Amino acid sequence: MQKQITGSWQVWALFAVILANFVAQIPYFLHLYYTPQHPFPELKSSILMGSVLVVFLVGFGLLQKRVKAGWYVLVFYLTVEFLFYLWNIIGGVLHGYGLFFHLSDRDPILWVVNAIGYVTFFAAGAFLLLLITRRRELM
C-alpha cells in the first residue's frame, strides 16, 4: 500500500507556511499603506493577490483529490513563487545588500513579514522538490 503523501504532515506544513505568507500581507498593508483616506488596498492589487491565492488553493485542492491538473497547477505556482523570491534575493546581493537583507529591518512588523517571506521561499522550494520527486505517488 502506497503512503498517502497528500495527507502527510509535510504537505500540510508547507501549505500552512504558504498560506501564512498571504495572511502576512494584511498587517503589511495596514502598517505601510493604511490611512483613513486610503483604508483599502488598490483594487487592481487586491484582484491580483486574490487571483494568486485562488490559483494556489485550487491547485492544492485538486492535488488533494488526486486530480492530475492539481499537480501541474501547483508546480507552476510554486515555480513562479520560488523564482520570485530567488530573484529578489539575487537582486539584493547584486545591489550590495547581502543575503536576506530584509531581516536587518528594525521594524518588528516588517521583520516578521519579511521573515515569513523568506520561510515561504524555502517552503516553495521544498514543496516543489516534493512534488517533482514524488510525482508518481501524487498523480
Side-chain angles (χ1 to χ4, degrees):
M1 181 177 186
Q2 265 186 340
K3 187 178 177 183
Q4 277 276 33
I5 190 163
T6 57
S8 74
W9 70 268
Q10 294 100 334
V11 169
W12 285 104
L14 295 168
F15 173 82
V17 168
I18 292 169
L19 201 57
N21 194 37
F22 283 101
V23 173
Q25 300 313 305
I26 296 167
Y28 179 81
F29 168 80
L30 293 173
H31 186 66
L32 288 182
Y33 302 110
Y34 173 85
T35 65
Q37 299 79 23
H38 190 259
F40 300 106
E42 297 294 324
L43 182 59
K44 185 177 175 182
S45 299
S46 297
I47 290 171
L48 180 61
M49 183 67 79
S51 299
V52 171
L53 176 60
V54 167
V55 167
F56 172 65
L57 293 175
V58 165
F60 189 80
L62 290 174
L63 181 74
Q64 291 299 307
K65 293 182 179 198
R66 296 223 181 234
V67 175
K68 197 178 219 182
W71 186 89
Y72 288 104
V73 170
L74 266 184
V75 165
F76 170 76
Y77 171 84
L78 294 167
T79 299
V80 170
E81 182 165 42
F82 181 81
L83 291 175
F84 167 80
Y85 282 107
L86 182 62
W87 182 253
N88 187 296
I89 292 168
I90 291 170
V93 171
L94 292 177
H95 288 97
Y97 295 112
L99 285 173
F100 310 113
F101 71 95
H102 290 99
L103 295 179
S104 64
D105 200 317
R106 294 180 187 268
D107 183 311
I109 293 173
L110 295 181
W111 189 91
V112 168
V113 171
N114 290 323
I116 290 170
Y118 285 127
V119 171
T120 300
F121 164 67
F122 290 112
F127 206 165
L128 191 57
L129 189 62
L130 185 72
L131 289 175
I132 291 168
T133 59
R134 300 209 178 155
R135 180 178 181 185
R136 289 195 174 140
E137 293 174 49
L138 297 170
M139 295 173 74

